[in-house]
Amino acid sequence: MSAASLVEQLLCENLKTLQPYQSARRLFSGEGSGENQTNWLNANESPFANEYELNCETLNRYPDCQPPSVIKAYAQYAGVKPEQTLTSRGADEGIELLIRAFCTPGQDKILICPPTYGMYAISAETFNIGVEKAPLNADFSLDLDAIKTQVGKVKLVFICSPNNPTGTDVGKEQLKQVLGAYAGKALVVVDEAYIEFTAQSSWANELAQYPNLVVLRTLSKAFALAGIRCGFTLADEAVIQALLKVIAPYPVPEPVAQIAKQALSGSGLQRTRNQVAIINQQKQQLQQQLGLIPQVTLVGDSAANFILFKTEQKQALFDALVAQNILIRDQSKQLNLDNCLRITIGNDRQNKMVLNAIQQFFQQESSNS
Ligand SMILES: *Cc1c(COP(=O)(O)O)cnc(C)c1O
């Protein structure tokens, strides 16, 4: 029997039709070089590559499951207690741990509010967990009535704020209502992957008030460390203890812990704040310029490190940018985001380059017609 038919015979039923997450990296791999260097504006990564030191003295040893210095530093940064802090392989692993700890395969469900981050549904589906949807309203606010109809039917509610890919903050009052409606019924997971870019305050300060609140964070975006895979889950100590039941014994490699610790030091935090300020300023400029192009409609908001916009010529524009080694992200398959593209804010050169390329594309379009 061939391996392919053996796999066919053995593979879990729920995985047979599952498509792996189309990450920006999977869609386009390979770097290019020199003139042909790819401009990655498709994965909401930081344009800054910062320097770190590495001490190799203990690389022969298994690392701590939860490196105390990293936990302590992040807890302090987030304004929570170390017991309320868990670190994992990116926020993505936090999502997975929540699903594994609280949902029984073939039985339980989660709730998502699309258009939103794709990994909640994918992670659920890989474990044969159902996915209920309460689509966002036309203005991308939460549909509270739709969310409330799921009380008692789902174990986890995923809310992304600022939301990827709409760039919108979820209103405080709206989230309070969700937390209230699900009190004693389900965990409400607020994904704050982009919290550093927005003026909105974090929900981390509210853990004491809402026992069913979980906050997800990451070093992948504002901290410019997508490459080390380091995220955090903030929640009541009882929730953290439940997640520790299912986490791998050594989820955080020693070099990751060393780099995270430096990123969370006083000077590391200051550097992140400076870089966030630069990105936010560049974002404003790019957004303003894009808004002047008649064929472009800005969509949602820009509370994170990206801009979402709509254009009838979505595919032609996307292809024209690819031809110039500029990669942005097609979001048009997401619910209610027809013809939408998302641009991650890059460095000054890249932002000018993508703006010029888009302006030129539409100039040519209008002179052709
Ligand atoms: C990027 C992103 C994540 C994943 O973060 P990692 O820490 O890199 O796994 C989680 N949530 C949202 C909304 C994101 O955009």
Side-chain angles (χ1 to χ4, degrees):
M1 186 187 275
S2 74
S5 28
L6 184 62
V7 167
E8 179 68 23
Q9 182 190 314
L10 299 180
L11 189 67
C12 299
E13 206 52 49
N14 61 305
L15 298 185
K16 286 192 172 151
T17 56
L18 184 83
Q19 294 293 321
Y21 181 66
Q22 296 294 309
S23 74
R25 284 288 147 165
R26 278 197 187 172
L27 289 174
F28 294 93
S29 51
E31 287 290 335
S33 60
E35 293 266 295
N36 293 323
Q37 197 125 41
T38 306
N39 292 281
W40 299 103
L41 302 178
N42 61 343
N44 300 342
E45 296 153 340
S46 171
F48 299 102
N50 301 308
E51 294 285 334
Y52 291 94
E53 278 164 20
L54 187 61
N55 174 350
C56 297
E57 276 168 32
T58 59
L59 293 186
N60 58 322
R61 303 288 173 201
Y62 284 110
D64 283 307
C65 174
Q66 296 288 293
S69 57
V70 175
I71 293 292
K72 200 170 148 231
Y74 200 86
Q76 190 170 19
Y77 163 67
V80 302
K81 297 183 193 135
E83 310 83 72
Q84 298 171 315
T85 309
L86 177 116
T87 182
S88 59
R89 261 183 283 118
D92 280 352
E93 191 183 21
I95 295 166
E96 185 182 306
L97 296 174
L98 285 160
I99 289 171
R100 283 172 52 215
F102 294 105
C103 299
T104 303
Q107 185 180 318
D108 290 332
K109 291 187 211 166
I110 67 163
L111 179 66
I112 63 170
C113 303
T116 192
Y117 185 52
M119 279 307 293
Y120 315 132
I122 300 229
S123 216
E125 283 159 10
T126 59
F127 295 108
N128 198 18
I129 304 301
V131 179
E132 290 290 343
K133 293 178 181 150
L136 297 176
N137 294 317
D139 64 355
F140 302 128
S141 59
L142 298 178
D143 182 343
L144 289 175
D145 291 336
I147 290 175
K148 286 176 185 172
T149 63
Q150 296 296 332
V151 174
K153 300 177 185 163
V154 298
K155 289 253 186 107
L156 300 170
V157 179
F158 285 94
I159 308 257
C160 189
S161 181
N163 187 35
N164 177 9
T166 61
T168 44
D169 282 316
V170 173
K172 286 256 149 179
E173 286 309 312
Q174 281 213 311
L175 243 169
K176 269 187 194 164
Q177 290 211 36
V178 176
L179 285 160
Y182 282 90
K185 301 284 187 189
L187 292 175
V188 176
V189 184
V190 184
D191 185 341
E192 294 189 338
Y194 300 96
I195 191 69
E196 285 86 2
F197 295 102
T198 177
Q200 188 104 325
S201 56
S202 165
W203 281 86
N205 314 314
E206 315 273 340
L207 287 181
Q209 240 150 308
Y210 300 100
N212 62 333
L213 170 64
V214 178
V215 176
L216 292 174
R217 297 283 196 82
T218 180
L219 298 188
S220 295
K221 308 289 163 54
F223 283 89
L225 286 171
I228 71 167
R229 312 303 301 123
C230 185
F232 296 88
T233 305
L234 313 175
D236 188 278
E237 186 178 358
V239 174
I240 300 297
Q241 288 302 322
L243 300 180
L244 287 169
K245 287 177 189 258
V246 295
I247 202 167
Y250 313 110
V252 183
E254 171 63 21
V256 172
Q258 288 186 26
I259 291 168
K261 196 177 147 191
Q262 293 166 57
L264 295 166
S265 69
S267 57
L269 293 174
Q270 190 52 49
R271 180 170 62 191
T272 291
R273 277 192 285 271
N274 295 344
Q275 293 177 348
V276 164
I278 293 168
I279 291 168
N280 275 343
Q281 194 202 355
Q282 292 267 322
K283 174 174 72 185
Q284 255 183 357
Q285 286 173 11
L286 183 57
Q287 189 185 24
Q288 192 196 357
Q289 294 298 314
L290 286 175
L292 296 175
I293 303 174
Q295 299 93 331
V296 165
T297 309
L298 299 174
V299 175
D301 200 358
S302 55
N305 65 341
F306 51 82
I307 295 170
L308 187 69
F309 69 96
K310 183 178 237 178
T311 175
E312 293 295 321
Q313 289 103 307
K314 181 246 352 163
Q315 196 57 50
L317 173 61
F318 186 88
D319 295 341
L321 294 178
V322 169
Q324 296 172 66
N325 299 313
I326 302 170
L327 285 178
I328 64 174
R329 186 91 155 146
D330 187 342
Q331 292 288 349
S332 62
K333 299 228 167 53
Q334 286 244 34
L335 185 71
N336 298 331
L337 295 186
D338 293 348
N339 287 324
C340 284
L341 298 171
R342 190 192 69 194
I343 305 180
T344 302
I345 304 304
N347 61 30
D348 186 49
R349 179 188 64 79
Q350 293 170 325
N351 300 332
K352 287 200 171 104
M353 180 190 239
V354 71
L355 177 64
N356 279 337
I358 295 173
Q359 286 170 334
Q360 265 179 18
F361 172 84
F362 286 115
Q363 270 160 20
Q364 272 163 14
E365 283 284 302
S366 32
S367 61
N368 288 345
S369 59

